[in-house]
Amino acid sequence: VVELTQHGQELLVARGGAGGRGNKSFPALAGRPAPDTSEPGQPGELRWVILETRLLADVGFVGLPNAGKSTLLGAITAARAKVGAYAFTTVRPQLGTITFEDGSRLVTADIPGLVQGAHANKGRGNAFLRH
């Protein structure tokens, strides 16, 4: 498990194979503008990886179901969170970004409604929260 937290940080998860020879190695000849010869390279490593992206919000809207969290998010950002006249319309956190005139940004999150007993899976529960 690795977490990349800095801009420009890199992680090698599989090495590529040795490259073959292609067009650059076989120059065109007069009367034959495009080469029809190539040599394949060697295979690289094969790995299955699970990647997870994470965007942390600067501000989170937390409240009861139908409190207007999604409406607020849509009013102040370009995010288009689903808005409905029923409880638990938002089932996953929704992110929106506010960009200010100086170029700085503020990431906001609409958190699904939490109710008393969410820890016991009442309502949507709290399974979407990361600890």
Side-chain angles (χ1 to χ4, degrees), residues 27-49:
L29 302 174
R32 190 181 75 174
D36 57 5
T37 306
S38 67
E39 293 178 358
Q42 300 298 313
E45 295 178 341
L46 178 64
R47 295 253 168 94
W48 285 96
V49 296

Side-chain angles (χ1 to χ4, degrees), residues 4-5 11 28 33-34 37 43-45 55 57-60 72 75 78 88 93 101 106 110 122 126:
L4 303 179
T5 59
L11 171 69
T37 306
E45 295 178 341
L55 178 61
D58 300 304
V59 175
L72 176 60
F88 306 112
E101 290 180 10
L106 182 73
D110 172 15
K122 184 175 178 184
N126 62 4

Side-chain angles (χ1 to χ4, degrees), residues 84-109:
Y86 53 92
F88 306 112
T89 306
T90 303
V91 295
R92 290 189 182 94
Q94 301 292 315
L95 299 176
T97 303
I98 302 169
T99 304
F100 297 99
E101 290 180 10
D102 66 357
S104 62
R105 292 192 213 176
L106 182 73
V107 178
T108 58

